[in-house]
Amino acid sequence: MKSPFPRRAGSPVQRRIAVVALLAGLIAPLAACGGLSANDNDKSSVSETYTDLRTGKPESARDKAVLDALPESVRSTYAGFWHATRVGPNPYADWKPSQAPWKFCYSSAYQGNSWRQEGLAVAKDIVAQLDKKGLVDGPLIVSDANNNASLQATQLTTMVQKGCDVILVMQPPTVGLCKAFDAAQKAGALVVVMQTGTDCTNVVQSDFGAYDAGRTAAEWLVDKVGKTKDTIVMCDGIPGVAAAEARQAGASDTFKKAGLKVDHITGQWTPSTIKSQMLRYLSTHQGAIAGVWDGGVCAVPVTQAFQQADRDLPPVTGFEGACSWLASWKQTGSESFGFAGGAGQGVNEAFKVALRMLAGQKPKHNTLLYPLVQIDGSNVDEYYKPGMKLSSGCNAQPASGDSAPTAYYDDLFTGTGTPATFDAGLADLPVK
Amino acid sequence: MTSSPLIELAGITHRYGATVALDGCQLDIRPGEIHGLVGENGSGKSTVVKLLSGIMAPTEGTVRVDGKDVDLRSPTAAQAHGVLTVFQETLISDDCSGLDNVFAGTDGLFRRRRRSKAELELATEVVERLGTSPSILTASPYQLSLAERQVLTLTRALVRPWRLLILDEATSALDLATRDRLFALLQAERSNGRSVLFVSHRMDELEILIDRATVQRSGHTVGTVDRAEATPSRLLSMMDGRSESEHAGAATVTARRRDEQGTAARLCGVALSSDARPFDLDVRRGEILGVGGLDGHGAVALVEAFAGVSLPPKGKVEIDRDGLWSRVRGYRNAVASGIAYVPGKRQEEGLFRTLDVRDNLAMATYGEHSRLGVLRPHAIQQAVRAQMQRLGVVPDDPDYPITGLSGGNAQKVLVGRWLAAEPDLLVLNDPLRGVDIGTKREFYALMRELTDAGMTVVMLSTEIEELLTSCDRVAVCHDHGLEAVLEGDEMTYDGVLSAMFGQAPTLATHERTRA
Amino acid sequence: MSTSAIEQTPTPTSAATSRRRRGALSSLLVYLAPLAMFLVLMVATPDVLSRTGIMSLLVLSAVLGIAAVGQTWAVMIAGIDLSIPATIGMANVLLTTLYAKGWSFGEIVVLLLVLSILIGMANGVLSSIFGLHPLVVSLGVASVVTGGVLISVDGNTGGDVPGFITNAVSPRGSVLGVPLPAALVVWVLVAVVVVLVERRTVIGRQIFALGSNVTAARLALARPMLIRVFVYSAGAICASAAGVLLAGFSGGASVDIGAAYLFSTITAVVVGGTSLLGGAGGYARTIAGVLVTTEFTTLLIGFSVGPNMQQVMLGIAILVLITVYGRDRHVAHRL
Ligand SMILES: Nc1ncnc2c1ncn2[C@@H]1O[C@H](COP(=O)(O)OP(=O)(O)OP(=O)(O)O)[C@@H](O)[C@H]1O
Ligand SMILES: [Mg+2]
């Protein structure tokens, strides 16, 4: 029942004006924020020792200095690092590894998809191998935070209480866990964050060079399309997510340098969204499309969109080496380019870093970026397996088992301890 | 009578889209007078009220306050001129306390959590002046009776500074005692120079209260008469255009005795509240049993018991089904046994405000007009039209939104919903609240017709006059007990009245209790 | 003919009235909006005028439209259904994983029907007997559904999709040689059934009654719990159908695939002009809402508007449309 004394009466006209005013009020601060953030490019960093996370910004003088100081062999992999992560000294410089056997723990932000499941399976397998060598104390302790940062913080605390020596953290949120990491570090646990950048400077990070990967795929596409006036479509991931922005920055810079016209669709790394966005794009753009750059998960839905909209399929890159992408490649016969980027290889690289540190070696920096193995026309047959289908949920893994050769890390570490070894067994992962 | 008008409507036209609700409306209210506004259902009274209270602006015409043209563009503007209104529909929010409802809209930008002591005292004073317990200010409105809700809306207006108080059928749900208190209050305020615009269909109320009356007929003003001229028959003939003598003649229907045809339903050892004395009550087949009582004395509980809406704490309700007694165990069970119930709170329990007249009328009988759950549109259309004609719903259009109907016509639709179910026992909770006199008379005749054909009626009314003219017997509740069942010669105004106050004349004919 | 006044084509009878006129005008605007938006789209990006262009729009609309059935009815009974995304995800993952395990499509459909009805019962019964707001109940149910699905498939959400499903959501797809994607045909059938149920069945009218006034509906013999179960079950079944179609749409499967459909179904319902207060509106309006929002987002892509700006524009568009339709503005006339 309405009260007969309308609190804020007023005619419809007044109410409409109020709505407009409200909207203006909402948009103005947004615009202001846009203006502000555009201006803070070179503000001096608060923490002097670590570079700032500067997603989507051009290279600063400080970034350049840090990049130039890196060993020649890793410099291209670290290109554009500021989009996704912060680089500085090793936060574990004073850390003394305990003696084997070690307790390994695995904290995942989410386990609800095949990619995450594969990562965990590989981790369990590696721990089992190390166990056979008598290096492991108890089974791998696993937690799943179901995308809840505060829950993950609690789970990390529990892991510290259980006496974990190494905590591998799979794709935590960029911010929000630094305190929990800090507690772990104080308790003497080594925290290795895998497969994502982070704002926290008190952990060791293992990730692939996202900018570099985006750039490499874009370069392949530039080569493939040659000189053209047609448009390149970039299929972007989730706006604002550092990992997505870094890849996109690599690609954008490349296309700009090549003088190509670029349009964007935003697929949110979700196949159904990608496909509907691509269909919408195609139905509003009948002009020729030179090629599509994949910022993750895009290759298959984009290819389907072209086919189902009855349009000629231009070169479409892949990214993470999805089995479905390889299947699609085989089906269409249209050459593509991507990486062997399954979760397994990511866990593998993180273990390599952890084991070096447990053996007494010290990383020179907090962030350890490595290059991904490329898949192109010359080696696709090593990766494609007959069981792969358009609906497969697996990802191709580096044929050799490693993304980065062991020697790659030599330039990034000091000290001489010999790390324990294992066979990541990536080649034996099931095709699903 | 030369004092200049406090407020004046001149040449007012108001249209709701294509419907002309007012056409050439003329009204002036002097300071210190109680001015009646009368007319049949749909004649535009509530529309006048809404224009005066700033709910909407007239399509054409001027409004003057103290001789100056004003633009009452919002309720706030009207209140600034001292015009306060109690609307026909009791608008009480169930989500906040009675006190919050009383002071709704008086806060600034933010609603205050607590009411000040002064506010509580002010409201308590008004509520007590109306003879109601101040507990309604703190109780959750959800539990309040319709009369108590109406007291809240009256209080809401009376706590504010007013010069003109508009009461749009605000007395229709009040019981006798509260109504008399209100009238005393109004008369006292009149001598303070304050004015009242009083809308009502009750001639008895108008007779005792008003100084002048303005009569509306289908949107235009027939005229304004002084107290002396404002006899019921004069007003009625102005309202419907027929001659005065016709109205003088049309009067009461005589009560009948109906004991020969057996009992249609009965209450056995029923207590209306857990600590009240249990009683028995039989309803004879084919009779119209009236139910009366002051608000909160169990009359509503009594009719709700018959309808299975709320089962009494003690005792059982039984209905005769082909010679067998079947116990009423709940509402749906009651309906299945041939009982139909027209609820009292038409906004809260009756109407579907978002739907049209057809849905409102036929909702309860859709089941009968369907095959395997699929509606039969033609059957429905016919049934709906038949009911609308029978009750004289205006406008005569099943597609009309229910909110576009005047209060009295909406009430007719609600009654029609359950008449359409053709029940054996029709239980009515004050069914003619806000319905005009002409329609009431037609309705009484209709009930006679239906009861002659075998239907039985239990009807609660807040109007003693109505109980006397339309019912065969009258059961009066007092203090959650059955005070008296009056019949024949006992059925007098004073008889009913004293029973309401717990002074039953004789109880010779009916054993009242079971030990 | 038991439709509400708003949805009826105005007949030129003498009794045509304000409310009906205004109602008719408002609904005319709602139903003209998709056409108007299409004209804008056509002028702005003439490219859209190709068979595949239009079919793409229609297929996208079909999936959203089917998913929005439940939201429309939930809103009509003055509730809301937050479990639609989870149900879409459930159907999506179960279809692909079970099909890969060798279940037949028919068996999977039966399973999904049963699960959908269970979801509807959970929503309907819990919100009735505990008197909880459907917002809370359906959120809880959503969480249980997603969790349950993940447990049952052990986090492995990949699988297989029957070929005909892929074909059904392809803009190039055809049915019995007619070049119309099956998803579109399914949507049309669903729409006809849903609108007929709303207008021509007892339970359909009772849905309106329940949304309008619960107490009055109960006294008019509607069974609130039964209706709620019916509404939420029908919604879950449609959401499952959308989940199945989405499996064919993108190949892969994920429990989160429905995430986008919470916002977009509510948007479609609101843009269609169904009042969040319940008791009014209907699926016919939602169809218009679905078409308008699909066209509008396509227009934004046609103009290469960035993702964040798309959100802002969509929000503004919703507010503007709602003020234009101006439903429930005249509180005054309700007194
Ligand atoms: N919101 C509305 N939309 C359309 N028509 C309306 C609306 N409100 C009232 N009407 C019409 O205007 C006319 C006058 O209605 P009004 O409510 O003023 O009558 P009333 O004199 O108060 O009747 P009652 O004694 O039944 O309360 C009626 O015909 C009614 O149907
Ligand atoms: Mg009225």
Side-chain angles (χ1 to χ4, degrees):
Chain A
M1 294 285 94
K2 292 281 177 301
S3 146
F5 303 103
R7 244 155 251 168
R8 235 104 306 279
S11 67
V13 181
Q14 283 173 325
R15 250 170 286 169
R16 251 176 251 185
I17 293 174
V19 168
V20 171
L22 209 93
L23 280 179
L26 280 173
I27 296 166
L30 276 180
C33 288
L36 281 180
S37 55
N39 283 336
D40 68 354
N41 277 350
D42 274 291
K43 73 163 198 251
S44 67
S45 117
V46 190
S47 129
E48 283 299 325
T49 36
Y50 292 91
T51 62
D52 289 328
L53 188 59
R54 298 175 56 255
T55 309
K57 312 264 171 61
E59 183 179 44
S60 72
R62 204 171 130 69
D63 296 334
K64 185 166 166 30
V66 168
L67 197 57
D68 286 346
L70 287 167
E72 175 76 48
S73 60
V74 304
R75 209 171 292 156
S76 76
T77 304
Y78 274 75
F81 65 83
W82 60 89
H83 292 288
T85 189
R86 308 176 64 176
V87 174
N90 169 20
Y92 278 82
D94 303 330
W95 179 68
K96 295 259 176 315
S98 53
Q99 287 301 308
W102 302 294
K103 195 182 264 301
F104 286 92
C105 299
Y106 190 97
S107 164
S108 181
Y110 180 64
Q111 276 302 120
N113 59 44
S114 317
W115 193 88
R116 301 293 183 114
Q117 294 288 338
E118 175 192 292
L120 179 58
V122 169
K124 281 183 175 157
D125 183 51
I126 293 173
V127 170
Q129 291 182 43
L130 296 174
D131 196 16
K132 286 212 187 88
K133 298 187 181 173
L135 298 173
V136 177
D137 168 19
L140 182 68
I141 296 175
V142 181
S143 72
D144 168 6
N146 201 11
N147 279 333
N148 178 340
S150 56
L151 177 60
Q152 193 165 10
T154 319
Q155 290 171 339
L156 284 165
T157 315
T158 316
M159 287 182 165
V160 171
Q161 283 161 0
K162 285 187 182 161
C164 295
D165 293 296
V166 177
I167 304 175
L168 297 160
V169 187
M170 183 52 114
Q171 290 190 337
T174 324
V175 289
L177 291 177
C178 299
K179 280 224 175 75
F181 292 151
D182 210 40
Q185 191 189 24
K186 293 228 171 73
L190 170 62
V191 179
V192 181
V193 167
M194 304 180 276
Q195 299 294 291
T196 180
T198 167
D199 209 25
C200 311
T201 51
N202 49 5
V203 292
V204 173
Q205 270 181 66
S206 165
D207 197 1
F208 64 86
Y211 180 95
D212 184 40
R215 177 173 68 180
T216 317
E219 279 166 359
W220 176 86
L221 199 56
V222 169
D223 260 7
K224 193 84 184 163
V225 303
K227 276 238 152 307
T228 176
K229 285 212 159 43
D230 298 343
T231 314
I232 298 277
V233 176
M234 281 178 62
C235 174
D236 296 344
I238 299 174
V241 168
E245 301 277 358
R247 300 171 191 183
Q248 284 150 220
S252 291
D253 291 351
T254 308
F255 293 131
K256 197 186 276 168
K257 217 183 292 165
L260 292 173
K261 207 165 76 190
V262 174
D263 272 345
H264 295 264
I265 61 167
T266 308
Q268 315 265 11
W269 285 338
T270 307
S272 54
T273 311
I274 295 165
K275 188 166 164 194
S276 62
Q277 296 293 85
M278 195 65 213
L279 279 176
R280 285 183 162 106
Y281 182 86
L282 289 176
S283 55
T284 48
H285 297 78
Q286 295 293 335
I289 292 163
V292 180
W293 175 87
D294 176 357
V297 203
C298 297
V300 174
V302 161
T303 304
Q304 282 185 347
F306 272 96
Q307 289 171 335
Q308 296 184 351
D310 244 340
R311 300 278 289 268
D312 296 335
L313 183 64
V316 177
T317 61
F319 195 88
E320 71 286 356
C323 298
S324 55
W325 164 67
L326 291 165
S328 164
W329 181 342
K330 279 289 154 193
Q331 215 175 60
T332 60
S334 164
E335 195 188 348
S336 186
F337 178 94
F339 305 95
Q345 60 80 30
V347 171
N348 183 15
E349 298 303 317
F351 265 98
K352 278 155 68 176
V353 169
L355 288 173
R356 271 179 188 256
M357 290 182 69
L358 286 172
Q361 296 192 24
K362 296 213 180 286
K364 292 177 183 164
H365 301 285
N366 62 329
T367 299
L368 297 154
L369 299 182
Y370 58 86
L372 286 175
V373 171
Q374 299 170 5
I375 303 174
D376 58 19
S378 67
N379 64 357
V380 62
D381 291 330
E382 293 172 40
Y383 291 93
Y384 175 72
K385 299 200 180 98
M388 293 179 179
K389 285 177 296 197
L390 284 182
S391 55
S392 297
C394 56
N395 288 90
Q397 305 286 351
S400 68
D402 286 323
S403 284
T406 314
Y408 174 83
Y409 289 103
D410 289 347
D411 286 349
L412 289 169
F413 277 87
T414 58
T416 50
T418 317
T421 55
F422 58 89
D423 171 15
L426 297 178
D428 309 330
L429 285 174
V431 172
K432 285 190 289 207
Chain B
M1 298 248 165
T2 48
S3 57
S4 78
L6 165 69
I7 198 161
E8 193 181 353
L9 294 180
I12 296 279
T13 300
H14 190 81
R15 286 189 209 96
Y16 297 101
T19 311
V20 184
L22 290 178
D23 184 11
C25 169
Q26 223 55 47
L27 176 71
D28 68 279
I29 301 165
R30 299 176 187 150
E33 78 163 345
I34 298 181
H35 193 111
L37 180 61
V38 298
E40 293 185 334
N41 292 137
S43 58
K45 302 181 297 295
S46 295
T47 308
V48 168
V49 168
K50 286 181 204 167
L51 297 179
L52 285 174
S53 14
I55 296 288
M56 46 194 196
T59 318
E60 277 166 43
T62 37
V63 183
R64 282 187 211 107
V65 176
D66 299 325
K68 284 193 281 292
D69 285 13
V70 292
D71 184 4
L72 300 178
R73 55 170 66 234
S74 71
T76 326
Q79 284 185 33
H81 289 288
V83 178
L84 277 156
T85 310
V86 178
F87 293 94
Q88 186 169 6
E89 309 299 347
T90 49
L91 299 160
I92 291 294
S93 162
D94 281 344
D95 300 327
C96 50
S97 75
L99 193 60
D100 284 328
N101 267 294
V102 167
F103 287 99
T106 54
D107 300 345
L109 196 51
F110 300 102
R111 206 176 105 191
R112 276 187 322 218
R113 286 281 184 87
R114 304 173 110 253
R115 293 280 151 203
S116 71
K117 209 162 159 238
E119 283 174 327
L120 179 63
E121 275 163 14
L122 182 60
T124 307
E125 190 199 313
V126 174
V127 170
E128 277 174 349
R129 251 181 108 182
L130 293 172
T132 307
S133 152
S135 65
I136 63 166
L137 293 172
T138 44
S140 153
Y142 183 74
Q143 307 159 345
L144 298 184
S145 72
L146 199 57
E148 288 165 333
R149 285 166 171 260
Q150 196 128 52
V151 170
L152 278 183
T153 58
L154 284 165
T155 310
R156 175 156 60 200
L158 290 170
V159 294
R160 292 158 211 236
W162 58 275
R163 295 168 66 203
L164 172 65
L165 179 67
I166 304 179
L167 301 178
D168 189 357
E169 295 182 35
T171 50
S172 61
L174 294 184
D175 67 25
L176 213 80
T178 317
R179 198 190 64 175
D180 288 345
R181 297 253 194 169
L182 173 67
F183 287 177
L185 187 152
L186 296 181
Q187 277 154 343
E189 295 293 351
R190 168 173 55 187
S191 36
N192 292 341
R194 287 169 157 180
S195 311
V196 177
L197 179 65
F198 186 76
V199 182
S200 175
H201 290 291
R202 294 190 182 179
M203 288 301 149
D204 53 336
E205 295 181 347
L206 291 161
E207 258 185 306
I208 43 178
L209 203 61
I210 57 158
D211 299 311
R212 293 193 304 155
T214 297
V215 182
Q216 285 285 121
R217 181 160 77 223
S218 45
H220 60 262
T221 306
V222 183
T224 301
V225 290
D226 282 337
R227 185 187 179 96
E229 296 168 73
T231 59
S233 52
R234 175 78 202 278
L235 291 179
L236 288 173
S237 72
M238 284 173 84
M239 277 159 65
D240 65 7
R242 289 193 230 158
S243 75
E244 241 177 279
S245 55
E246 269 178 84
H247 290 291
T252 57
V253 195
T254 42
R256 309 153 299 177
R257 285 192 75 89
R258 284 278 177 187
D259 20 22
E260 67 280 358
Q261 293 185 38
T263 310
R266 65 184 186 194
L267 303 182
C268 304
V270 162
L272 295 175
S273 74
S274 42
D275 49 0
R277 278 209 281 177
F279 60 87
D280 291 344
L281 178 64
D282 290 354
V283 188
R284 299 171 192 159
R285 188 175 316 284
E287 79 166 338
I288 302 177
L289 175 68
V291 177
L294 295 178
D295 188 55
H297 281 256
V300 172
L302 183 73
V303 290
E304 286 189 346
F306 271 115
V309 173
S310 59
L311 295 178
K314 270 185 233 152
K316 57 183 180 181
V317 185
E318 288 179 323
I319 180 166
D320 179 52
R321 297 187 77 180
D322 308 318
L324 290 176
W325 286 111
S326 122
R327 185 163 174 185
V328 172
R329 290 166 198 287
Y331 179 70
R332 298 187 72 88
N333 167 252
V335 174
S337 316
I339 299 177
Y341 174 64
V342 177
K345 302 178 186 172
R346 76 168 164 253
Q347 294 302 328
E348 293 83 0
E349 300 173 341
L351 297 178
F352 302 113
R353 304 191 56 98
T354 53
L355 302 181
D356 57 13
V357 172
R358 176 189 299 104
D359 278 331
N360 270 283
L361 234 170
M363 192 61 75
T365 37
Y366 273 154
E368 293 164 26
H369 295 300
S370 64
R371 199 174 291 131
L372 298 173
V374 179
L375 297 172
R376 306 208 320 261
H378 291 292
I380 292 168
Q381 187 76 351
Q382 267 174 11
V384 166
R385 283 208 173 277
Q387 285 307 330
M388 288 177 72
Q389 246 149 40
R390 199 183 208 181
L391 294 165
V393 177
V394 182
D396 170 29
D397 175 10
D399 291 333
Y400 213 83
I402 195 76
T403 44
L405 257 51
S406 77
N409 282 299
Q411 184 67 38
K412 293 179 202 167
V413 168
L414 195 54
V415 173
R417 181 188 299 165
W418 286 108
L419 270 187
E422 295 177 358
D424 296 331
L425 174 63
L426 180 62
V427 182
L428 303 158
N429 184 347
D430 210 2
L432 301 180
R433 197 160 55 81
V435 173
D436 65 36
I437 292 186
T439 311
K440 269 184 189 168
R441 287 183 179 159
E442 281 162 33
F443 185 76
Y444 301 150
L446 177 65
M447 303 259 266
R448 288 280 152 193
E449 210 177 283
L450 293 171
T451 47
D452 285 341
M455 195 172 84
T456 309
V457 176
V458 174
M459 177 169 103
L460 181 149
S461 175
T462 47
E463 246 181 290
I464 295 182
E465 212 61 60
E466 178 164 282
L467 292 172
L468 295 177
T469 51
S470 67
C471 301
D472 299 321
R473 293 193 299 156
V474 180
V476 183
C477 295
H478 177 74
D479 209 10
H480 287 94
L482 182 64
E483 183 68 22
V485 181
L486 305 172
E487 191 172 5
D489 298 341
E490 305 161 341
M491 274 175 62
T492 60
Y493 193 94
D494 290 334
V496 175
L497 193 64
S498 34
M500 279 181 171
F501 286 94
Q503 291 144 5
T506 50
L507 289 167
T509 38
H510 290 272
E511 78 285 20
R512 184 171 58 161
T513 55
R514 293 187 154 205
Chain C
M1 292 291 305
S2 54
T3 64
S4 80
I6 293 157
E7 264 126 16
Q8 252 181 5
T9 36
T11 43
T13 60
S14 54
T17 67
S18 74
R19 197 39 111 75
R20 264 165 84 205
R21 284 253 190 100
R22 198 170 41 236
L25 190 73
S26 139
S27 65
L28 204 66
L29 276 178
V30 170
Y31 297 124
L32 283 180
L35 278 178
M37 189 61 87
F38 188 74
L39 287 180
V40 173
L41 189 61
M42 227 167 62
V43 172
T45 55
D47 283 349
V48 84
L49 269 186
S50 65
R51 198 182 85 79
T52 51
I54 292 172
M55 284 304 159
S56 302
L57 286 188
L58 288 177
V59 167
L60 295 172
S61 303
V63 179
L64 175 57
I66 292 170
V69 169
Q71 202 64 268
T72 309
W73 278 4
V75 166
M76 271 161 53
I77 58 168
I80 195 156
D81 190 352
L82 300 191
S83 64
I84 285 176
T87 311
I88 292 177
M90 173 195 80
N92 187 260
V93 168
L94 290 187
L95 172 75
T96 50
T97 48
L98 294 179
Y99 195 71
K101 281 198 186 130
W103 286 45
S104 78
F105 184 67
E107 287 163 352
I108 298 173
V109 167
V110 171
L111 175 72
L112 289 180
L113 274 177
V114 171
L115 290 175
S116 299
I117 291 172
L118 285 178
I119 291 174
M121 279 170 55
N123 279 327
V125 171
L126 291 178
S127 59
S128 297
I129 58 176
F130 295 121
L132 293 171
H133 195 281
L135 193 92
V136 187
V137 173
S138 61
L139 193 64
V141 168
S143 171
V144 171
V145 168
T146 305
V149 169
L150 281 177
I151 291 171
S152 72
V153 300
D154 222 358
N156 289 305
T157 54
D160 243 334
V161 186
F164 65 90
I165 296 282
T166 315
N167 191 38
V169 283
S170 162
R172 271 197 333 181
S174 63
V175 179
L176 305 172
V178 185
L180 281 178
L184 193 58
V185 177
V186 171
W187 186 32
V188 171
L189 292 178
V190 166
V192 168
V193 170
V194 168
V195 172
L196 280 181
V197 167
E198 277 176 10
R199 299 185 180 185
R200 292 292 181 91
T201 66
V202 178
I203 194 149
R205 297 322 293 168
Q206 288 180 339
I207 289 174
F208 283 91
L210 186 67
S212 191
N213 186 337
V214 183
T215 315
R218 193 178 286 125
L219 289 177
L221 304 181
R223 297 170 187 266
M225 182 150 90
L226 190 83
I227 297 171
R228 291 195 186 108
V229 168
F230 175 76
V231 161
Y232 289 110
S233 299
I237 290 171
C238 289
S240 287
V244 167
L245 291 175
L246 276 177
F249 192 62
S250 56
S254 143
V255 284
D256 298 329
I257 199 163
Y261 286 85
L262 181 58
F263 183 67
S264 56
T265 52
I266 296 177
T267 306
V269 171
V270 168
V271 166
T274 293
S275 159
L276 288 173
L277 301 174
Y283 188 66
R285 286 171 164 273
T286 299
I287 294 175
V290 164
L291 291 172
V292 170
T293 46
T294 308
E295 285 163 356
F296 187 69
T297 41
T298 305
L299 183 71
L300 293 180
I301 290 175
F303 281 145
S304 307
V305 177
N308 302 326
M309 203 55 199
Q310 280 184 25
Q311 290 288 321
V312 174
M313 303 273 277
L314 195 61
I316 294 177
I318 292 172
L319 290 174
V320 167
L321 282 172
I322 292 171
T323 12
V324 169
Y325 300 158
R327 309 209 69 233
D328 267 310
R329 263 184 301 145
H330 297 268
V331 175
H333 297 172
R334 301 169 59 193
L335 286 173

